[in-house]
PDB file of all heavy atoms in Angstrom:
ATOM      1  N   LEU A  23     -13.203   2.646  13.748  1.00 97.00           N
ATOM      2  CA  LEU A  23     -13.903   1.380  13.972  1.00 97.00           C
ATOM      3  C   LEU A  23     -13.640   0.842  15.364  1.00 97.00           C
ATOM      4  O   LEU A  23     -14.567   0.394  16.063  1.00 97.00           O
ATOM      5  CB  LEU A  23     -13.461   0.364  12.914  1.00 97.00           C
ATOM      6  CG  LEU A  23     -14.050  -1.051  13.043  1.00 97.00           C
ATOM      7  CD1 LEU A  23     -15.570  -1.021  12.933  1.00 97.00           C
ATOM      8  CD2 LEU A  23     -13.460  -1.972  11.979  1.00 97.00           C
ATOM      9  N   ASP A  24     -12.393   0.878  15.787  1.00 97.00           N
ATOM     10  CA  ASP A  24     -12.046   0.382  17.127  1.00 97.00           C
ATOM     11  C   ASP A  24     -12.706   1.225  18.209  1.00 97.00           C
ATOM     12  O   ASP A  24     -13.146   0.690  19.234  1.00 97.00           O
ATOM     13  CB  ASP A  24     -10.532   0.388  17.304  1.00 97.00           C
ATOM     14  CG  ASP A  24     -10.115  -0.028  18.701  1.00 97.00           C
ATOM     15  OD1 ASP A  24     -10.438  -1.160  19.100  1.00 97.00           O
ATOM     16  OD2 ASP A  24      -9.480   0.779  19.401  1.00 97.00           O
ATOM     17  N   ARG A  25     -12.777   2.525  17.991  1.00 96.00           N
ATOM     18  CA  ARG A  25     -13.419   3.407  18.976  1.00 96.00           C
ATOM     19  C   ARG A  25     -14.890   3.073  19.125  1.00 96.00           C
ATOM     20  O   ARG A  25     -15.447   3.141  20.231  1.00 96.00           O
ATOM     21  CB  ARG A  25     -13.244   4.870  18.544  1.00 96.00           C
ATOM     22  CG  ARG A  25     -14.006   5.874  19.395  1.00 96.00           C
ATOM     23  CD  ARG A  25     -13.497   5.897  20.819  1.00 96.00           C
ATOM     24  NE  ARG A  25     -14.245   6.843  21.618  1.00 96.00           N
ATOM     25  CZ  ARG A  25     -15.413   6.581  22.206  1.00 96.00           C
ATOM     26  NH1 ARG A  25     -15.957   5.378  22.080  1.00 96.00           N
ATOM     27  NH2 ARG A  25     -16.024   7.492  22.943  1.00 96.00           N
ATOM     28  N   ILE A  26     -15.542   2.677  18.047  1.00 95.00           N
ATOM     29  CA  ILE A  26     -16.982   2.393  18.082  1.00 95.00           C
ATOM     30  C   ILE A  26     -17.263   0.959  18.527  1.00 95.00           C
ATOM     31  O   ILE A  26     -18.108   0.711  19.391  1.00 95.00           O
ATOM     32  CB  ILE A  26     -17.602   2.637  16.697  1.00 95.00           C
ATOM     33  CG1 ILE A  26     -17.503   4.121  16.326  1.00 95.00           C
ATOM     34  CG2 ILE A  26     -19.066   2.183  16.664  1.00 95.00           C
ATOM     35  CD1 ILE A  26     -17.815   4.416  14.873  1.00 95.00           C
ATOM     36  N   ALA A  27     -16.534   0.000  17.937  1.00 92.00           N
ATOM     37  CA  ALA A  27     -16.873  -1.408  18.140  1.00 92.00           C
ATOM     38  C   ALA A  27     -16.035  -2.099  19.201  1.00 92.00           C
ATOM     39  O   ALA A  27     -16.510  -3.027  19.870  1.00 92.00           O
ATOM     40  CB  ALA A  27     -16.731  -2.160  16.810  1.00 92.00           C
ATOM     41  N   GLY A  28     -14.783  -1.680  19.365  1.00 90.00           N
ATOM     42  CA  GLY A  28     -13.924  -2.354  20.330  1.00 90.00           C
ATOM     43  C   GLY A  28     -13.683  -3.803  19.953  1.00 90.00           C
ATOM     44  O   GLY A  28     -13.602  -4.154  18.772  1.00 90.00           O
ATOM     45  N   ASP A  29     -13.558  -4.668  20.959  1.00 86.00           N
ATOM     46  CA  ASP A  29     -13.362  -6.107  20.738  1.00 86.00           C
ATOM     47  C   ASP A  29     -14.694  -6.831  20.886  1.00 86.00           C
ATOM     48  O   ASP A  29     -15.171  -7.023  22.009  1.00 86.00           O
ATOM     49  CB  ASP A  29     -12.372  -6.673  21.760  1.00 86.00           C
ATOM     50  CG  ASP A  29     -10.940  -6.515  21.332  1.00 86.00           C
ATOM     51  OD1 ASP A  29     -10.701  -6.359  20.119  1.00 86.00           O
ATOM     52  OD2 ASP A  29     -10.050  -6.547  22.197  1.00 86.00           O
ATOM     53  N   PRO A  30     -15.314  -7.244  19.771  1.00 84.00           N
ATOM     54  CA  PRO A  30     -16.621  -7.920  19.867  1.00 84.00           C
ATOM     55  C   PRO A  30     -16.486  -9.316  20.469  1.00 84.00           C
ATOM     56  O   PRO A  30     -15.885 -10.210  19.870  1.00 84.00           O
ATOM     57  CB  PRO A  30     -17.093  -7.978  18.407  1.00 84.00           C
ATOM     58  CG  PRO A  30     -15.840  -7.902  17.594  1.00 84.00           C
ATOM     59  CD  PRO A  30     -14.868  -7.073  18.382  1.00 84.00           C
ATOM     60  N   GLN A  31     -17.021  -9.512  21.652  1.00 81.00           N
ATOM     61  CA  GLN A  31     -16.873 -10.789  22.336  1.00 81.00           C
ATOM     62  C   GLN A  31     -17.587 -11.925  21.615  1.00 81.00           C
ATOM     63  O   GLN A  31     -17.155 -13.083  21.699  1.00 81.00           O
ATOM     64  CB  GLN A  31     -17.399 -10.671  23.777  1.00 81.00           C
ATOM     65  CG  GLN A  31     -16.513  -9.818  24.672  1.00 81.00           C
ATOM     66  CD  GLN A  31     -15.072 -10.281  24.681  1.00 81.00           C
ATOM     67  OE1 GLN A  31     -14.775 -11.450  24.918  1.00 81.00           O
ATOM     68  NE2 GLN A  31     -14.143  -9.359  24.397  1.00 81.00           N
ATOM     69  N   TRP A  32     -18.656 -11.603  20.883  1.00 81.00           N
ATOM     70  CA  TRP A  32     -19.357 -12.649  20.137  1.00 81.00           C
ATOM     71  C   TRP A  32     -18.445 -13.278  19.093  1.00 81.00           C
ATOM     72  O   TRP A  32     -18.582 -14.470  18.766  1.00 81.00           O
ATOM     73  CB  TRP A  32     -20.599 -12.087  19.452  1.00 81.00           C
ATOM     74  CG  TRP A  32     -20.324 -10.980  18.468  1.00 81.00           C
ATOM     75  CD1 TRP A  32     -20.347  -9.638  18.703  1.00 81.00           C
ATOM     76  CD2 TRP A  32     -19.950 -11.131  17.084  1.00 81.00           C
ATOM     77  NE1 TRP A  32     -20.019  -8.930  17.567  1.00 81.00           N
ATOM     78  CE2 TRP A  32     -19.780  -9.819  16.555  1.00 81.00           C
ATOM     79  CE3 TRP A  32     -19.756 -12.228  16.247  1.00 81.00           C
ATOM     80  CZ2 TRP A  32     -19.417  -9.598  15.229  1.00 81.00           C
ATOM     81  CZ3 TRP A  32     -19.395 -12.004  14.922  1.00 81.00           C
ATOM     82  CH2 TRP A  32     -19.223 -10.703  14.425  1.00 81.00           C
ATOM     83  N   LEU A  33     -17.495 -12.497  18.572  1.00 81.00           N
ATOM     84  CA  LEU A  33     -16.559 -13.023  17.582  1.00 81.00           C
ATOM     85  C   LEU A  33     -15.463 -13.839  18.245  1.00 81.00           C
ATOM     86  O   LEU A  33     -15.171 -14.967  17.825  1.00 81.00           O
ATOM     87  CB  LEU A  33     -15.952 -11.867  16.786  1.00 81.00           C
ATOM     88  CG  LEU A  33     -14.865 -12.235  15.766  1.00 81.00           C
ATOM     89  CD1 LEU A  33     -15.430 -13.166  14.688  1.00 81.00           C
ATOM     90  CD2 LEU A  33     -14.285 -10.974  15.142  1.00 81.00           C
ATOM     91  N   TRP A  34     -14.846 -13.280  19.297  1.00 79.00           N
ATOM     92  CA  TRP A  34     -13.694 -13.948  19.905  1.00 79.00           C
ATOM     93  C   TRP A  34     -14.101 -15.131  20.776  1.00 79.00           C
ATOM     94  O   TRP A  34     -13.244 -15.908  21.199  1.00 79.00           O
ATOM     95  CB  TRP A  34     -12.860 -12.952  20.696  1.00 79.00           C
ATOM     96  CG  TRP A  34     -12.451 -11.788  19.851  1.00 79.00           C
ATOM     97  CD1 TRP A  34     -12.625 -10.462  20.117  1.00 79.00           C
ATOM     98  CD2 TRP A  34     -11.806 -11.836  18.562  1.00 79.00           C
ATOM     99  NE1 TRP A  34     -12.150  -9.690  19.092  1.00 79.00           N
ATOM    100  CE2 TRP A  34     -11.638 -10.504  18.128  1.00 79.00           C
ATOM    101  CE3 TRP A  34     -11.365 -12.874  17.741  1.00 79.00           C
ATOM    102  CZ2 TRP A  34     -11.045 -10.192  16.902  1.00 79.00           C
ATOM    103  CZ3 TRP A  34     -10.772 -12.560  16.528  1.00 79.00           C
ATOM    104  CH2 TRP A  34     -10.620 -11.239  16.125  1.00 79.00           C
ATOM    105  N   SER A  35     -15.397 -15.280  21.041  1.00 80.00           N
ATOM    106  CA  SER A  35     -15.852 -16.492  21.718  1.00 80.00           C
ATOM    107  C   SER A  35     -15.989 -17.656  20.734  1.00 80.00           C
ATOM    108  O   SER A  35     -16.124 -18.810  21.151  1.00 80.00           O
ATOM    109  CB  SER A  35     -17.201 -16.246  22.400  1.00 80.00           C
ATOM    110  OG  SER A  35     -18.207 -15.927  21.447  1.00 80.00           O
ATOM    111  N   ARG A  36     -15.919 -17.344  19.433  1.00 85.00           N
ATOM    112  CA  ARG A  36     -16.073 -18.365  18.399  1.00 85.00           C
ATOM    113  C   ARG A  36     -14.781 -18.680  17.648  1.00 85.00           C
ATOM    114  O   ARG A  36     -14.576 -19.805  17.187  1.00 85.00           O
ATOM    115  CB  ARG A  36     -17.150 -17.936  17.391  1.00 85.00           C
ATOM    116  CG  ARG A  36     -18.544 -17.914  17.998  1.00 85.00           C
ATOM    117  CD  ARG A  36     -19.549 -17.206  17.090  1.00 85.00           C
ATOM    118  NE  ARG A  36     -20.920 -17.345  17.581  1.00 85.00           N
ATOM    119  CZ  ARG A  36     -21.438 -16.616  18.542  1.00 85.00           C
ATOM    120  NH1 ARG A  36     -20.702 -15.690  19.151  1.00 85.00           N
ATOM    121  NH2 ARG A  36     -22.680 -16.810  18.929  1.00 85.00           N
TER     122      ARG A  36
END
Side-chain angles (χ1 to χ4, degrees):
L23 177 61
D24 176 60
R25 173 64 181 84
I26 295 168
D29 274 338
Q31 290 306 308
W32 60 266
L33 176 62
W34 305 127
S35 63
R36 292 168 172 80

